[in-house]
Amino acid sequence: MDADLAFSAIRISTPLIFAAMGGLLTYQAGMLNIALDGFMIVAAFAAIAIAYATGSLTIAVAGGVACAVVMAGLLALFNLRFRAHIFIAGVAVTFLAYGLTALLLRGILGEEGVFSSNTIPNFPPIAIPFIKDIPVLGRVLSGHTLLVYVAYLCVPVVAWSLYRTRWGLRVRVVGEAEDAALAAGIRVERIKVQTMLLSGVFCGLAGAYLSLGYVSLFANKMTNERGLIALAAIFFAKGRPYPTALVALLFGTATALSVRLPQMTGAAPQLLQLIPYVVTVLALIVVGLRNARGRNRHGAWKFDVT
Amino acid sequence: MSETPLDVVSISGVVKRFGDFTAIHDASLTVRRGEVHAIVGENGAGKSTLMNILYGLLPRDAGTIELFGRPVTFSGPAEAIAAGVGMVHQHFKLAPSFTVADNIILGSEPLAGYGRIDRARAERDTAAISRRFGLDLDPRAVVGALPVGLRQRVEILKTLYREAQILILDEPTAVLTPQETRELFATMRTLAESGHSIVFITHKLREVLAVSNRISVMRQGRIVATLDNEGVTAQEIAGLMVGRSVLLRVKKAKAEARDEVLLKVDGLEARGERGEAAVDGLSFAVRSGEIVGLAGVQGNGQDELVECIAGLRRPVAGSVEICGTKAVADPRRNRAAGLAYVPADRGGVGLSLASGIWENLTVGHIEEFGRGPFLAIKAARARAAELIRRFDVRGATLDKPAGSLSGGNQQKVQIARELTRDARLVIAEQPSQGVDIGAIESIHRTLVEMRDAGRAVFVVSADLDEIFSLSDRILVIYRGRIVADLVASETDPETVGRYMGGLEEAPPAAAASVSEAADHVH
Amino acid sequence: MSTEALDAAPSFPLAGLVKPLVQPLVAVAIAVLVGGLLVLALGENPIEVYSILVHGSLVGWPNFLVTLQMMSPLLFTGLAVAISFRAGLWNIGAEGQMIMGALAAGIVGYAVDLPTALHIPLALIAAFAGGLAWALLPALLRVWLNLNELVVCLMLNPIALLLSGYVSTHLLKAPGPTNKLPDIADTAALPTFSLYSQVNAGFVIGLVLCLVFAVVNGGTKKGFEWKIMGLNPRFAYYGGIRVPLQAVLVMMLSGGIAGLGGAEQVLGEYRAFYDNFSPGYGFDGIAVAMLANFHPVGVVLAAFLFGALNGGSAVLQMMTGLSKYLVQVLQFIIVLILAAQFSWAFLGSRRKAPPAHAAPAAPKEE
């Protein structure tokens, strides 16, 4: 693998890492959040619109994150307060977000399908001292933009929060044994809302990165199922932060390859893009087989409704 | 310390209603500092409900609760915990993949800055209090890997870590081995001596006499007596618990058991939900024209046994025959073989609470109304209307959801559906659980009619009264085995109670477990 | 007490017909209101916008035919989702099943040489089988391994899209710049009825399917069993219903119907399989099914509404500064509201499960 490919793999994986960290928090709190794409697209749109209007990347990213958090709040409201099934509400929020951003794209920015402008500022690449001088590694690791580094730094922060702090312990207990948390006087609903809103924050960063981080451009449905791939990484790594990030990086690499490989060999990009989904289904089957063996041991009939 | 006993808890005039049903009538109770106070009573007497009110899990409808002389109203367990009340539930509230220390500190974690948990201190503290009260536990052990007795210790330590002065133990011995029970009692004494007050909910009279200072007896939501544990006998307490008034006896002729075996269980073994051996090589038979009652403390394998017969659980070994046909793990085939089954779990298994009553009455009879691939809905509804009348299901219309009915009427719907099937073997599991007295009578009468019509009736009940009122023959299940097979007219509740408690460890005179008292509805 | 009394006739004769409509209508009303505010915020006149939508979809024969064309795929995906949700199976994989059905129809449509009388049925069967196969995997995994069919369907949707993309851009790509399979033979084409729109025989097939399933749900043993299974599968199994078998059957039918929706697109509208042809009909099907409260006749009505919105949205896009995606926003506001279980009770609906304490006998102790 050459250095350019590794460089672009790291770049392409950035929104996946953000989204995976967001989805992982709700996963740990016992909620399968399938609206990651919806949160992201809203942030991507808000970020580019704000950047276009204000010329400030800081305000743009903050605005994008804020809008994603609002979407997360909407999902939390319907799931936790109004008892909507999280998958149905999640699908609804996602498609609502796709529709809303497309509507606003035309309504506010007056463009159809795609928007870009050369007045929008770019994130400058950051050269890391010392590392940039290391032969191959320097070309891979140095020269990314700020959000890329933020994404990778989020992984240890998330891991630390989940496994070292009081809040993390509570999140994990809520996800594993809600009744134990309730009996210990923990406000379960509040923890769930917090993880959902944080999920919005991370997806907001992912979305802002998508529209501003590399090329300043917004397109309808531009998240391109990245939320789903992030979710696949979470399933695969069972929600543990470092393995999840690693799997997201691998899935990102597959995507990077799917862009590069066809140019060189004429192979179909779709086959590489299939990898995350197929691998996840296989992983689910393996886990299912293991659980089924345990169930057969006590021989009870189980067909629980989700 | 003063010589006069100090009341740390004083409950007076507490009332709790669930809809039209009054679960607690005007209950008053005091708990003193440093005592073990047992609350005994039959299934559904309201023991757990009363304690859940004290612990803030349920709101009360009337009455006052004072803690250390101050009136309190808890809106949730968190407030009760802060006020010094701890509760150990029968079903543990632990997170299995976490360590002992994590489980213990959960909710009041020691911090080390930046929201970090001070794990070293957590483990130190955990080790310290477990030593102080003689509870040997490794703070780093993963809870899921611990045996049940140790998990209970974790629960007790959780309350002590929060400096609870009042500990409520809900049926703590139900899941313990005799050895673990002895250790628990020692712990309870240690705690009481160090000034804690312990409320001990149970139905096992031998244990009550062994460990408690005072005993409160509950019956039908009332506290009927509070006694000092001096010179009290198990028989007296049992009398208070049962109360002659609730004794129901259905008038019935002597059984004419025929020789035709309709249910034959042979060497049956089955595993429970956690993979444990729940049914352990069990054999018996039920013949046509008799009612056989299965008595036993809940959790001794009754559920798994019935599930195996019904086809809801696959046995590990042994066989079940229904009306001469070998049963399999498929309810459809077993029903076809001639099984009618009234399950205890009405909402989860026996009814679809969100479906209309006519639909609930039609499941299991679909073939009767099959016209090719079609369903004769008019005919099915007409039959349902007829059943509602015949079984006197109050407040029912055909399209009303079954969940809108009271427990007794839900039970009538189940019974109407099951007993009108052309099935020669009838299994009724906890038929009167959560059913009002009037409905109990009609349900019992229906079961006796079934017997007189030559069917075989197998009743599983946690209520000894019910067992005696219905059965011609009584089987007692203990730890997954049948330990006694008695003729109902030749035995008495005390004898059966002894078998229920496991005869070997019970000195015949003292042991009288009048009834299983787990108030839990599955 | 008489049977009549038990049947408790509604207080006025139309109540039985009106009641099931209240909830969807309220949801639609809220969506229209929220959408109106959104339009207002974007500087357009909501009344004008909605009247354009109505006009553009319903007024005039050509507009109306476009609406029928737009509702055709939704009849299939809506029905597919409705029958699976009603049976308690959360098939959100209609999108993938539709794509696989379309792909199968597209291949059979061009690669096989047959007279019309055989070619169309064969292509339809292929489409049904394609969708069915794509639903079979989640169904079997659910029954054998208790894997959540939602998660599996979610993953299978992009797999279907990418696989069909691979086939239509590489394996069997038609010559030329467009990513598509070769055009289907005329013998496989579903007849169209008008020059104004591509509404075709697929529309009729969809309508007939909805009516067939109205009868299946309302009057057959299977339909009864599926309903019970959807509300309480353990009760259904206890009562002698073969739940695992029925679950697989329902999923297969659901997938097959979604697959036929793909055939409608390929054999009727596009006359070839195009890569990425579906703008998300499978997900719109969720909206249709929820609005229909999982009733097949409701599916026809809801598909008509959404078809009209989709049809009108094109006109909207041309005549105002708004995007056609306004319609998608409205649709999924409706789904969100219908998914919620808040206070529907005040509408006298029975959607909400009875509260835990409804049965006084079972005070939950922990």
Side-chain angles (χ1 to χ4, degrees), chain A residues 160 163-170 172-173 176-177 179-186 296-302, chain B residues 55 78 81 93-98 102 106-107 109 111 114-117 119 162 271-275 312-314:
Chain A
W160 181 84
Y163 293 95
R164 290 276 173 268
T165 69
R166 172 170 78 178
W167 180 78
L169 176 70
R170 292 180 173 189
R172 288 181 298 128
V173 173
E176 180 180 302
D179 55 344
L182 276 172
I186 290 168
N296 287 340
R297 235 187 30 196
H298 22 91
W301 185 80
K302 281 276 164 61
Chain B
Y55 190 56
I81 291 167
K93 312 261 183 179
L94 297 170
S97 78
F98 291 77
D102 277 350
L106 183 68
E109 302 86 346
L111 294 184
Y114 307 108
R116 265 179 314 151
I117 292 173
R119 279 236 157 61
R162 287 164 179 72
R271 296 242 164 85
E273 229 30 57
R274 290 180 311 249
L312 293 164
R313 184 177 290 275
R314 195 184 302 277

Side-chain angles (χ1 to χ4, degrees), chain B residues 189-399:
Chain B
R189 294 262 41 117
T190 313
L191 288 171
E193 277 155 26
S194 67
H196 293 81
S197 306
I198 293 167
V199 181
F200 172 45
I201 304 178
T202 188
H203 59 272
K204 296 182 183 167
L205 299 187
R206 185 166 53 92
E207 296 178 350
V208 169
L209 294 172
V211 78
S212 59
N213 301 101
R214 289 198 301 160
I215 302 155
S216 289
V217 183
M218 285 193 82
R219 187 171 76 221
Q220 291 185 307
R222 297 169 207 276
I223 293 191
V224 292
T226 297
L227 313 162
D228 284 324
N229 186 8
E230 276 169 29
V232 184
T233 65
Q235 279 74 6
E236 285 172 53
I237 300 173
L240 286 166
M241 276 165 69
V242 176
R244 294 302 115 194
S245 59
V246 296
L247 263 182
L248 293 162
R249 287 286 153 103
V250 184
K251 267 185 220 138
K252 58 176 191 198
K254 208 173 142 36
E256 294 168 44
R258 297 155 215 187
D259 286 338
E260 195 183 352
V261 172
L262 293 185
L263 172 65
K264 186 159 174 253
V265 175
D266 194 14
L268 192 74
E269 287 176 33
R271 296 242 164 85
E273 229 30 57
R274 290 180 311 249
E276 78 281 14
V279 176
D280 192 9
L282 184 154
S283 307
F284 65 92
V286 182
R287 293 177 181 80
S288 69
E290 70 171 347
I291 298 181
V292 174
L294 182 71
V297 175
Q298 217 157 39
N300 272 294
Q302 299 95 316
D303 295 356
E304 288 82 1
L305 167 65
V306 172
E307 282 172 6
C308 284
I309 299 171
L312 293 164
R313 184 177 290 275
R314 195 184 302 277
V316 179
S319 70
V320 175
E321 266 181 37
I322 296 169
C323 306
T325 314
K326 195 169 181 318
V328 287
D330 178 359
R332 182 186 182 87
R333 304 254 296 272
N334 293 0
R335 290 172 85 85
L339 168 74
Y341 167 38
V342 181
D345 183 4
R346 285 193 291 267
V349 175
L351 293 170
S352 168
L353 295 182
S355 302
I357 291 168
W358 82 269
E359 290 166 317
N360 274 290
L361 284 166
T362 304
V363 169
H365 297 262
I366 295 174
E367 288 312 319
E368 292 165 37
F369 299 102
R371 308 284 182 268
F374 295 99
L375 186 71
I377 289 174
K378 261 208 175 121
R381 287 173 67 93
R383 171 183 157 279
E386 200 255 306
L387 288 181
I388 288 173
R389 256 196 314 281
R390 203 167 100 205
F391 286 81
D392 190 25
V393 184
R394 310 260 167 95
T397 61
L398 289 178
D399 292 303

Side-chain angles (χ1 to χ4, degrees), chain C:
Chain C
M1 217 193 294
S2 70
T3 314
E4 286 74 24
L6 281 167
D7 270 312
S11 49
F12 67 103
L14 281 176
L17 276 174
V18 171
K19 220 174 169 185
L21 291 178
V22 173
Q23 201 170 304
L25 286 178
V26 170
V28 170
I30 295 174
V32 165
L33 202 71
V34 175
L37 292 174
L38 209 59
V39 169
L40 210 59
L42 290 173
E44 302 269 346
N45 180 350
I47 294 168
E48 195 183 315
V49 164
Y50 284 128
S51 73
I52 289 172
L53 267 182
V54 173
H55 205 266
S57 58
L58 301 178
V59 179
W61 195 232
N63 286 346
F64 186 71
L65 285 174
V66 169
T67 290
L68 295 189
Q69 177 199 327
M70 300 306 272
M71 83 180 265
S72 300
L74 301 183
L75 283 175
F76 292 93
T77 57
L79 180 65
V81 175
I83 64 169
S84 70
F85 278 27
R86 180 176 178 269
L89 294 153
W90 301 95
N91 178 17
I92 56 170
E95 181 77 11
Q97 292 146 14
M98 180 187 201
I99 291 170
M100 292 320 263
L103 185 66
I107 294 172
V108 171
Y110 87 85
V112 181
D113 195 16
L114 280 173
T116 304
L118 292 175
H119 205 171
I120 290 179
L122 186 69
L124 290 177
I125 289 169
F128 191 87
L132 181 152
W134 215 242
L136 195 59
L137 183 67
L140 292 179
L141 290 179
R142 171 62 191 270
V143 169
W144 285 339
L145 303 181
N146 210 18
L147 277 188
N148 191 335
E149 73 276 10
L150 272 159
V151 175
V152 179
C153 284
L154 205 61
M155 295 295 151
L156 284 179
N157 282 334
I159 295 179
L161 184 66
L162 291 167
L163 269 185
S164 70
Y166 173 64
V167 173
S168 59
T169 60
H170 286 81
L171 270 191
L172 304 173
K173 186 177 183 306
T178 320
N179 285 330
K180 69 192 256 293
L181 296 184
D183 286 336
I184 57 164
D186 288 340
T187 47
L190 289 169
T192 52
F193 307 124
S194 160
L195 291 174
Y196 294 120
S197 89
Q198 269 80 50
V199 60
N200 59 75
F203 172 73
V204 180
I205 296 174
L207 272 188
V208 170
L209 273 176
C210 284
L211 295 180
V212 166
F213 274 91
V215 174
V216 168
N217 283 354
T220 66
K221 292 188 285 190
K222 288 262 176 291
F224 181 81
E225 293 181 350
W226 296 342
K227 185 179 177 191
I228 297 293
M229 189 172 116
L231 289 169
N232 187 348
R234 296 191 67 196
F235 168 60
Y237 184 67
Y238 146 87
I241 295 168
R242 282 177 280 206
V243 173
L245 185 76
Q246 298 302 331
V248 173
L249 183 64
V250 167
M251 281 294 280
M252 283 174 18
L253 282 173
S254 174
I257 291 168
L260 285 178
E264 187 273 337
Q265 293 281 293
V266 168
L267 306 180
E269 287 192 27
Y270 295 111
R271 304 289 164 104
F273 179 90
Y274 284 79
D275 183 25
N276 216 350
F277 73 91
S278 168
Y281 290 131
F283 296 103
D284 291 353
I286 298 173
V288 170
M290 304 239 355
L291 187 60
N293 208 3
F294 315 139
H295 195 289
V297 174
V299 166
V300 176
L301 299 177
F304 181 76
L305 176 70
F306 287 167
L309 286 173
N310 283 338
S313 70
V315 182
L316 184 76
Q317 174 117 1
M318 282 188 291
M319 294 182 58
T320 69
L322 287 178
S323 158
K324 61 182 182 202
Y325 286 99
L326 173 65
V327 167
Q328 185 172 337
V329 173
L330 295 180
Q331 283 180 7
F332 285 95
I333 290 178
I334 292 173
V335 174
L336 201 54
I337 291 169
L338 288 172
Q341 299 181 358
F342 56 90
S343 309
W344 285 115
F346 79 95
L347 299 172
S349 155
R350 293 201 217 96
R351 188 190 194 83
K352 231 173 124 178
H357 293 317
K364 224 169 138 40
E365 302 262 326
E366 273 167 289

Side-chain angles (χ1 to χ4, degrees), chain A residues 236-260:
Chain A
F236 195 84
K238 291 188 192 152
R240 291 162 297 172
Y242 291 111
T244 301
L246 188 69
V247 175
L249 188 60
L250 288 177
F251 288 171
T253 308
T255 313
L257 275 173
S258 77
V259 177
R260 289 282 300 277

Side-chain angles (χ1 to χ4, degrees), chain B residues 507-518:
Chain B
S513 186
V514 166
S515 101
E516 199 293 309

Side-chain angles (χ1 to χ4, degrees), chain A residues 115-229:
Chain A
F115 171 79
S116 70
S117 161
N118 47 19
T119 65
I120 298 172
N122 286 319
F123 281 99
I126 298 171
I128 307 174
F130 308 117
I131 288 181
K132 74 176 183 335
D133 302 324
I134 304 171
V136 178
L137 211 58
R139 270 175 57 209
V140 174
L141 295 180
S142 179
H144 291 285
T145 55
L146 179 68
L147 285 175
V148 176
Y149 296 116
V150 172
Y152 289 90
L153 285 176
C154 277
V155 179
V157 172
V158 166
W160 181 84
S161 313
L162 275 176
Y163 293 95
R164 290 276 173 268
T165 69
R166 172 170 78 178
W167 180 78
L169 176 70
R170 292 180 173 189
V171 168
R172 288 181 298 128
V173 173
V174 165
E176 180 180 302
E178 201 173 308
D179 55 344
L182 276 172
I186 290 168
R187 293 190 204 166
V188 170
E189 193 140 304
R190 183 191 281 192
I191 296 273
K192 287 188 166 182
V193 171
Q194 285 168 349
T195 57
M196 186 60 89
L197 295 182
L198 278 172
S199 199
V201 171
F202 282 112
C203 290
L205 290 168
Y209 178 81
L210 280 179
S211 62
L212 296 175
Y214 187 56
V215 214
S216 301
L217 178 141
F218 178 85
N220 284 346
K221 281 197 170 187
M222 76 180 298
T223 61
N224 208 4
E225 314 270 27
R226 282 183 177 82
L228 211 51
I229 297 178

